[in-house]
Amino acid sequence: MILPMKKVSIVLLNKEREQSLKILRKLGLVHLETLTGFGEKLSFFKEISNNSMISESILSEIKLSKAQKKQQIKVLKDDEIVALTKEIVAQSERKKQLLDVITADVNELDRFSGWGNVSLEDFEYLKENGIQLKMYEIPSAKYPLIDKSIDTLLVNTGKKINRFLIINGGEGRPEKLMPEAFEVSFPRESTSVIENEVRQAEREISKIEEFFVKNAVYLPQIQAYKKRLQTDIEFENINSGMSHENENEKTDLAWISGFVPEEDLEALKEACRQNEWALAYSDPEEDDLSVPTKLKNNKLVSLIYPLTDFLGTVPGYREYDISGWFLLFFSIFFGMIFGDGGYGLLLTAAFLFIILKNAVTRKKNPPLLFLGIILGISTIIWGTVTCTWFGIPAEQLPSFLKTISVKPLSSAYTNELKGFTTDQNLQIFCFTLALLQLSVAHIKGMIVNRKSLKFFGELGSLLQLIGLYYIVLNLVVSSEHFALNKVIYNIPIGYVELALIAVGFVLSFIFANYEGSVSKSILASVKGIIPVILGVVNVFSDIVSYIRLWAVGLAGAAISATVNTMAGPILGHAILFAIGVILLVFGHGLNMVLNLLSVLVHGVRLNTLEFSSHLGMSWSGLKYSPFSEKGNK
């Protein structure tokens, strides 16, 4: 469930602001509204935090030897860490400058690679003695065609380019010199000087890298300091960003606002009484978008939190907490997408082994491990139902595995079914899952709006969903078995479904936008008539979307069978047996990884998009993160 929140404002003496914030942080209950701090202290904290981050990035790329890892190192004080990270950043900037110098110098040397050693001093000496030289390059075939009145000196001949000097050709370009000749400007320094610059820069870079390697042993201390620093930054940001009156007055007041769970309000009141703070609280306003969401569920439902935290999905404060439904349907989707009981056994065994190992070593087991157990069991159940085990053909499996499978969905009875095929039954199962899950969304809407006429808008959506379910079966599964003119117990099923769609559309059209006035609700539907009509199409597409569970599971089964087919002949040869085993392990391992990616794409999507859209959820929530010494909870 989503815990109700109270909006609170705390007023205190400005001169006691810092001490009061420390008490409030120790209390760890109030989710503060966003503040923007300022000041030299905060800027200093941010600067050294940035230095720590850059230092961490640089030092983490260095691989330490075993001897370096085992050596005893000095425990640095905070000011020593600050000085070290500052020096690392300075050395990093110097390294960048040197690399830029080397790049520029190397490009300059490349420009004169065909000329040999170019000495500006020699050119200047000759000029002082009445001999002016200019450097030119020209296609080799054009050099003999240079006008004889131009005094040239050939330096060298290449396959494509000839390099030559023009002697006393004047300040500008000689008039009779053909346009193919290209003047080479002098280097900024003699090439020998540039080469020396490169060597010096490389030596300095080598010393900088030695400095990095020498101090890489302090990386863990820098990382720990950076983590501690984040708390200081958070504190100073709030401290300097709090609203307050004139600082020069002794009675100056400061205040801060935020949110606290209703169940923790009494604890906050007590803290305010003890510290003589003024406290005002109220229910959040309807249009307040900054209200954080705190979820509270039993241990089983809470197992889904590692996944939702990884996805960063948080329901809005006034949205639904679907954690339980998310866990239920995600577990089903996971089992269907992995689709193989053998894979489920491997997953369950792996997670169970880690749990038992942690229990022996007295390490705490994270909830993710128990979620893995549930998902593994779900996969085993689906593999049992469909008689799918490591992609092995059903006829080659033990008979008891065939017996315990569910005949309409089992690969063991594909040739024995009458009426629907196994694939059709699986498709019907997928669409039935869609009907169940999406119906839950609208039933929840009906319960929430039971005292409002909007109830009938949700009822209309539910009726459309039921009617379109049959239409999907008709169009996708079988137009014969789910014909519109089909009659069961004198009831024309197809026409009843069409009637449900029509009645549901009318109810949705009238009441979907109800906010106290039926006429305004109808007017809103008229204004948005195109989205209203497309809404029916969206319901149809949402149901069809669940066929991905069958399609992705089918693809995974095909890969498993292909891996077995490839490895089978190899396993029959004693010499190649090891290669066959490696192929099996690699092939099935890769398939499991692909299945996991498919779960994240498809299994999550059905919960966070199709299901959530029918609930009207946008996952726009802000996670409850109280101001606390332990950071975000």
Side-chain angles (χ1 to χ4, degrees):
M1 61 177 290
I2 297 176
L3 294 181
M5 289 281 172
K6 289 291 185 180
K7 186 169 186 177
V8 297
S9 294
I10 301 171
V11 182
L12 44 88
L13 291 176
N14 190 34
K15 63 181 182 181
E16 299 175 355
R17 181 173 62 187
E18 188 167 334
Q19 181 61 29
S20 297
L21 283 177
K22 290 179 180 179
I23 296 172
L24 193 63
R25 182 173 64 177
K26 187 175 182 179
L27 187 63
L29 294 178
V30 184
H31 176 107
L32 299 177
E33 291 186 327
T34 303
L35 294 174
T36 303
F38 57 91
E40 293 183 3
K41 189 174 181 180
L42 181 61
S43 298
F44 172 73
F45 281 154
K46 288 183 177 180
E47 180 184 351
I48 58 179
S49 175
N50 184 60
N51 289 346
S52 299
M53 190 180 304
I54 295 173
S55 299
E56 179 184 14
S57 176
I58 294 170
L59 299 184
S60 61
E61 295 179 0
I62 298 171
K63 293 183 179 179
L64 298 176
S65 64
K66 292 182 179 179
Q68 288 175 309
K69 291 179 180 178
K70 292 181 179 179
Q71 69 176 341
Q72 294 290 331
I73 60 173
K74 177 183 178 183
V75 178
L76 300 178
K77 298 178 181 179
D78 286 355
D79 58 341
E80 291 177 315
I81 294 176
V82 171
L84 175 60
T85 56
K86 185 176 181 180
E87 181 62 21
I88 291 173
V89 172
Q91 294 286 0
S92 175
E93 291 299 321
R94 178 57 181 163
K95 182 180 176 180
K96 290 178 183 177
Q97 294 173 0
L98 292 170
L99 289 173
D100 290 340
V101 168
I102 291 174
T103 300
D105 285 351
V106 168
N107 290 337
E108 188 75 346
L109 292 173
D110 286 344
R111 194 161 67 92
F112 293 95
S113 59
W115 287 89
N117 185 25
V118 179
S119 173
L120 295 183
E121 292 79 6
D122 291 345
F123 278 98
E124 189 63 30
Y125 175 79
L126 292 172
K127 185 177 181 180
E128 290 174 357
N129 288 277
I131 302 174
Q132 183 186 35
L133 300 177
K134 290 185 178 181
M135 306 165 67
Y136 278 87
E137 294 179 351
I138 193 171
S140 299
K142 296 290 184 178
Y143 181 74
L145 303 179
I146 295 176
D147 193 285
K148 301 302 181 183
S149 63
I150 301 174
D151 192 5
T152 65
L153 176 63
L154 182 64
V155 175
N156 60 48
T157 301
K159 293 181 179 180
K160 295 182 179 181
I161 297 294
N162 280 9
R163 296 172 183 83
F164 65 98
L165 300 171
I166 292 181
I167 304 172
N168 294 330
E171 291 300 325
R173 180 187 180 90
E175 292 183 5
K176 295 182 179 181
L177 184 61
M178 59 184 63
E180 289 85 354
F182 171 74
E183 182 177 1
V184 179
S185 59
F186 289 128
R188 59 177 178 79
E189 295 283 355
S190 299
T191 54
S192 60
V193 174
I194 297 176
E195 288 172 350
N196 188 51
E197 279 186 2
V198 172
R199 286 192 292 270
Q200 288 181 347
E202 288 175 342
R203 284 194 293 269
E204 190 173 348
I205 287 176
S206 179
K207 291 181 180 179
I208 291 173
E209 290 176 344
E210 288 176 3
F211 172 78
F212 289 157
V213 171
K214 178 183 177 182
N215 290 284
V217 293
Y218 296 111
L219 176 60
Q221 294 187 44
I222 293 174
Q223 291 173 326
Y225 176 72
K226 188 190 75 169
K227 188 175 181 180
R228 295 196 304 271
L229 193 59
Q230 296 308 309
T231 303
D232 294 335
I233 291 174
E234 179 190 29
F235 183 89
E236 186 57 31
N237 182 67
I238 295 169
N239 182 35
S240 60
M242 282 180 65
S243 300
H244 56 87
E245 296 175 333
N246 187 349
E247 292 185 0
N248 296 324
E249 297 182 7
K250 293 182 179 179
T251 58
D252 178 25
L253 298 177
W255 56 90
I256 194 168
S257 298
F259 298 89
V260 65
E262 192 175 272
E263 64 181 15
D264 295 324
L265 184 60
E266 288 302 319
L268 179 62
K269 285 181 180 180
E270 181 59 28
C272 291
R273 279 193 291 268
Q274 291 179 2
N275 294 282
E276 298 182 343
W277 302 334
L279 173 67
Y281 58 90
S282 63
D283 292 328
E285 300 291 334
E286 285 293 326
D287 58 349
D288 194 338
L289 301 179
S290 61
V291 186
T293 300
K294 182 179 182 181
L295 301 177
K296 185 176 183 180
N297 288 291
N298 58 49
K299 291 184 178 180
L300 175 62
V301 174
S302 299
L303 293 179
I304 197 64
Y305 290 168
L307 176 62
T308 54
D309 289 344
F310 170 75
L311 297 171
T313 52
V314 180
Y317 178 68
R318 293 179 179 83
E319 294 183 339
Y320 298 100
D321 175 17
I322 61 169
S323 300
W325 295 109
F326 199 125
L327 177 62
L328 172 63
F329 285 105
F330 180 76
S331 299
I332 296 172
F333 299 157
F334 186 99
M336 293 179 68
I337 290 174
F338 260 73
D340 192 298
Y343 290 175
L345 285 173
L346 291 178
L347 288 173
T348 305
F351 284 113
L352 188 59
F353 172 79
I354 297 173
I355 290 172
L356 294 176
K357 182 181 178 182
N358 288 342
V360 172
T361 57
R362 296 184 178 180
K363 291 183 179 179
K364 184 178 180 181
N365 283 303
L368 180 62
L369 296 177
F370 297 101
L371 175 62
I373 292 289
I374 292 176
L375 299 179
I377 293 173
S378 174
T379 307
I380 294 172
I381 293 173
W382 185 252
T384 302
V385 168
T386 59
C387 197
T388 308
W389 301 89
F390 293 113
I392 300 173
E395 58 271 15
Q396 298 178 17
L397 291 170
S399 58
F400 82 91
L401 291 178
K402 303 176 189 178
T403 304
I404 63 176
S405 64
V406 178
K407 189 172 183 179
L409 304 177
S410 174
S411 60
Y413 299 100
T414 300
N415 299 323
E416 301 178 22
L417 297 179
K418 296 180 180 179
F420 296 108
T421 65
T422 304
D423 284 343
Q424 286 177 323
N425 286 327
L426 288 169
Q427 291 170 7
I428 294 171
F429 185 83
C430 291
F431 296 140
T432 304
L433 265 181
L435 177 64
L436 290 174
Q437 187 177 29
L438 300 182
S439 293
V440 167
H442 294 294
I443 291 172
K444 286 178 73 72
M446 291 167 64
I447 293 172
V448 170
N449 295 287
R450 60 188 179 278
K451 296 181 180 180
S452 167
L453 291 180
K454 201 169 184 177
F455 169 92
F456 294 103
E458 291 290 348
L459 176 61
S461 297
L462 179 61
L463 295 178
Q464 290 182 71
L465 181 65
I466 296 171
L468 287 168
Y469 166 74
Y470 188 85
I471 300 301
V472 169
L473 296 179
N474 171 272
L475 296 176
V476 179
V477 180
S478 172
S479 59
E480 178 183 352
H481 289 90
F482 300 101
L484 295 178
N485 59 357
K486 188 170 186 177
V487 177
I488 299 179
Y489 297 113
N490 296 320
I491 300 175
I493 299 297
Y495 296 114
V496 170
E497 300 295 336
L498 290 175
L500 289 176
I501 296 172
V503 173
F505 178 81
V506 172
L507 289 174
S508 295
F509 187 86
I510 296 173
F511 298 108
N513 300 299
Y514 179 79
E515 294 294 343
S517 172
V518 174
S519 59
K520 290 182 179 180
S521 176
I522 295 173
L523 182 60
S525 296
V526 171
K527 290 180 179 179
I529 187 63
I530 294 178
V532 170
I533 294 174
L534 290 177
V536 181
V537 179
N538 288 337
V539 174
F540 176 86
S541 65
D542 287 345
I543 298 173
V544 173
S545 184
Y546 281 70
I547 202 172
R548 69 183 66 235
L549 298 171
W550 166 74
V552 176
L554 188 65
I559 294 175
S560 295
T562 301
V563 171
N564 293 341
T565 302
M566 293 171 62
I570 300 176
L571 291 172
H573 296 77
I575 299 177
L576 301 177
F577 181 80
I579 297 176
V581 172
I582 293 173
L583 180 58
L584 279 176
V585 172
F586 175 78
H588 286 291
L590 179 61
N591 193 27
M592 291 180 71
V593 172
L594 293 175
N595 285 340
L596 182 60
L597 294 175
S598 297
V599 167
L600 293 177
V601 173
H602 302 292
V604 169
R605 173 203 163 102
L606 293 175
N607 279 294
T608 58
L609 187 59
E610 276 82 358
F611 181 45
S612 297
S613 66
H614 284 256
L615 284 165
M617 290 181 62
S618 61
W619 296 99
S620 57
L622 178 66
K623 187 176 180 180
Y624 170 69
S625 303
F627 182 48
S628 169
E629 290 181 337
K630 297 180 181 179
N632 294 347
K633 292 183 178 179

